[in-house]
Amino acid sequence: MPFFEQHNDAAAFEKGAPRRFLQSDEERCMPAWLTVVGMGDDGFAGLGKAARRALIDASVIYGGERHLAMLPVCLSARREPWPRPFNIEAVLAQRNAHDARVCVLASGDPMFYGVGATLARHLPADELRVLPAPSSVSLAAARLGWALQDVATVSLVGRPLAALHLHLHDGARVFVLSADGATPAAVAARLAERGFGATRMVVLEHLGSASERLIDARAASWQMNETAALNVIALECRRDALAPQLALTPGLPDDAYRHDGQLTKRDVRALTLGRLAPAPGELLWDVGAGCGSICIEWMRAHPTCRAIAIEANSERQRFIEHNRDALGVPALQLIAGSAPDALHGLPEPDAIFIGGGVTADGVLDICWRALKSGGRLIANAVTLEGEAALTAWRAQHGGTLTRVALAEAQPLGGFQTWRPALPITLLDTRKP
């Protein structure tokens, strides 16, 4: 590893004097042309030797205006603030420059919701050197004495507040990465609105700097409209006695959804999602999505699950928009239109659910062609015509047919009797 020569260089450099380094053979052969330096709120003074060295040697440094302002004036590199709206095109354009020595400044750990992760999607690992500082959540966990692996993290930077809803469970600990100084007040109001007013909120401002401050209160009694823009929110969730408890397992109560009756009922929904078998990173098409219950619970199964809801009815589209936010999956994509026309051009799915429209010409065929190899196609039908379509499909492509017949105990005079629901025919097939 490189190191500073031993002659009180640190003090000399802060005054503008040049600094000399020794460099290992290994570092001279390093192929990375881009170094991402994680910086805490203590600025340049808190950086390690390797990070300082990278900045001293750089020909150009990209970063936010706040980070660039923390650098000593004597650095010779050109300083380039991020464009608005943010993009990394200027950095990537340096890739083929002769003898490129480029640095990017980031907050804390650049690979944790940071620009390092963005750059890594565009560059091979051997062209990128990342020098992280402690992340804001690492510092917050240290201040609060929380085991970091037991705490969920939600970023509200460029994301809707509804992204928080999925993580609200009694007893859960959550770190929230704030978008600005107004985020804590918005989070407190949303917690109280959703029956979590008793939640303890700790807002940690300017972590790692001389200006560090902690504000500790209950969500229901939060009174500050604005805090420091640089903050992390720590939540110890407490559910009010009358607030609904929404599990992460399939089969949420029917009244968790806003709907007009076009809803895959709770027990059938749980059976259907068991056949769909959501896995991390997979994409679902929900064709004829109704109020969105299937695709919403697919996305609730894992934070990286993705889904597209295809729905033609405008009122039901509004139900989907409400339900996806209320149940914490605002990233659900809604396509307004009817199958099969609305399916053209959509990304290739890992699984498809057809809850309505199995009798429409071409729907099953187009879905089958679009499905990835090894993907799952699940379709439900309640009419004789729909059942006939699924039976004919199974004869061509294989799979299983299951008849689901449920009944619920309801009053009959002074007694109880079984009231059967309409039976459901469920097709489950896998693409070779």
Side-chain angles (χ1 to χ4, degrees), residues 179-260:
D180 52 35
T183 302
V187 167
R190 185 60 59 91
L191 289 169
E193 174 189 310
R194 295 187 64 82
F196 282 82
T199 295
R200 178 193 177 200
M201 282 182 56
V202 183
V203 176
L204 302 99
E205 300 177 332
H206 293 291
L207 281 164
S209 77
S211 304
E212 183 174 310
R213 181 175 71 149
L214 275 64
I215 308 164
D216 196 332
R218 298 290 170 184
S221 57
W222 188 264
Q223 296 181 344
M224 296 183 66
N225 292 329
E226 195 83 19
T227 65
L230 198 65
N231 73 82
V232 176
I233 308 168
L235 304 177
E236 283 189 298
C237 296
R238 290 291 178 268
R239 183 173 59 89
D240 300 341
L242 299 179
Q245 187 169 3
L246 299 176
L248 293 174
T249 51
L252 292 179
D254 293 346
D255 60 10
Y257 294 94
R258 185 176 291 178
H259 63 92
D260 61 356

Side-chain angles (χ1 to χ4, degrees), residues 369-383:
R369 288 198 298 269
L371 190 63
K372 287 182 181 178
S373 295
R376 292 88 69 198
L377 189 151
I378 312 296
N380 290 355
V382 296
T383 66

Side-chain angles (χ1 to χ4, degrees), residues 117-138:
T118 303
L119 289 164
R121 290 195 287 269
H122 297 269
L123 295 170
D126 61 357
E127 294 188 25
L128 185 66
R129 182 169 66 140
V130 180
L131 303 174
S135 68
S136 56
V137 297
S138 292

Side-chain angles (χ1 to χ4, degrees), residues 283-287 308 310 343 346-349 351-353 366-367 370:
L283 172 66
L284 171 75
W285 287 4
D286 187 349
V287 181
I308 300 173
I310 299 97
L343 305 178
L346 298 183
E348 188 179 42
I352 297 175
F353 172 65
I366 288 175
C367 286

Side-chain angles (χ1 to χ4, degrees), residues 5 14 35-36 38 73 90 101 124 163 188 242 257 295 330 358 394 397:
E5 290 185 340
E14 297 298 339
T35 301
V36 186
V73 296
R101 290 171 289 116
L242 299 179
Y257 294 94
C295 51
V358 295
R394 177 174 176 261
H397 300 280

Side-chain angles (χ1 to χ4, degrees), residues 324-370:
R324 69 183 177 187
D325 287 350
L327 295 169
V329 290
L332 170 63
Q333 183 181 354
L334 173 60
I335 300 294
S338 298
D341 293 342
L343 305 178
H344 295 293
L346 298 183
E348 188 179 42
D350 300 279
I352 297 175
F353 172 65
I354 307 175
V358 295
T359 58
D361 287 343
V363 169
L364 281 165
D365 289 331
I366 288 175
C367 286
W368 187 250
R369 288 198 298 269

